[in-house]
Amino acid sequence: MPAPLAAALLPLALLAPAASRVSVLEAAFDPATAFVPPTAVSYATDLVPYGSHARVVTDRSVPGRTEFTVTVSGLAPDHEFPVHLHTGSCGADPASSGPHYQDAVDPVQPSTDPAYANERNELRLLLRTDGQGKATATTAVAWQPRPGEARSLVLHAGTPAGPHAAGDRVACVKLER
Ligand SMILES: [Cu+2]
């Protein structure tokens, strides 16, 4: 049926100029100590097993706005993982991802002032895995990260935390080299 097919392809063609503002990152979680430094690091294999998978779509096609969509598979089932944009990169030490990225940076660090530490000034998502360990979450913020300053997405232990504190960093995805 050629006509419906053409109709389906037309919107994609119209969107093509914006495609360069959309980046897609796919990675499997690996140990931080892997010979080739991995794009996605797991620090807690009970929650984020090696070989489990993340896909991050960053859409900056609308000026002054960024939409993040995070999709994971193979994680611990029926679990909530808070996910944040952090300033540092993913290293062997979970703390290497540094503090949360803030659009307006709190002059007092670590930032606890709700005028800065809030979901409009930071990027926060909540991944809720299903019984198979899959989850997807989308959020948008009214800013675009400054290049080189938002280098990772960090998954926290969340709930049920088991042997981990809820805030522990259990995995990290490098957004920039
Ligand atoms: Cu965080």
Side-chain angles (χ1 to χ4, degrees), residues 84 86 100 154 156:
H84 310 133
H86 281 241
H100 292 163
V154 173
H156 293 267

Side-chain angles (χ1 to χ4, degrees), residues 109-128:
Q109 296 288 334
S111 177
T112 54
D113 181 349
Y116 292 93
N118 64 63
E119 62 190 20
R120 295 173 307 285
N121 195 42
E122 300 181 349
L123 181 109
R124 303 178 185 180
L125 293 146
L126 187 64
L127 286 171
R128 289 189 182 89

Side-chain angles (χ1 to χ4, degrees), residues 72-87:
V72 291
S73 59
L75 273 57
D78 302 316
H79 192 97
E80 290 191 348
F81 294 89
V83 181
H84 310 133
L85 190 61
H86 281 241
T87 59

Side-chain angles (χ1 to χ4, degrees), residues 37-58:
T39 298
V41 173
S42 171
Y43 304 113
T45 54
D46 55 330
L47 296 177
V48 183
Y50 296 146
S52 61
H53 188 262
R55 174 184 163 93
V56 180
V57 179
T58 307

Side-chain angles (χ1 to χ4, degrees), residues 1-29:
M1 287 195 276
L5 181 61
L9 289 174
L10 184 59
L12 289 174
L14 292 173
L15 282 172
S20 62
R21 307 293 293 159
V22 179
S23 62
V24 179
L25 185 157
E26 299 216 40
F29 289 99

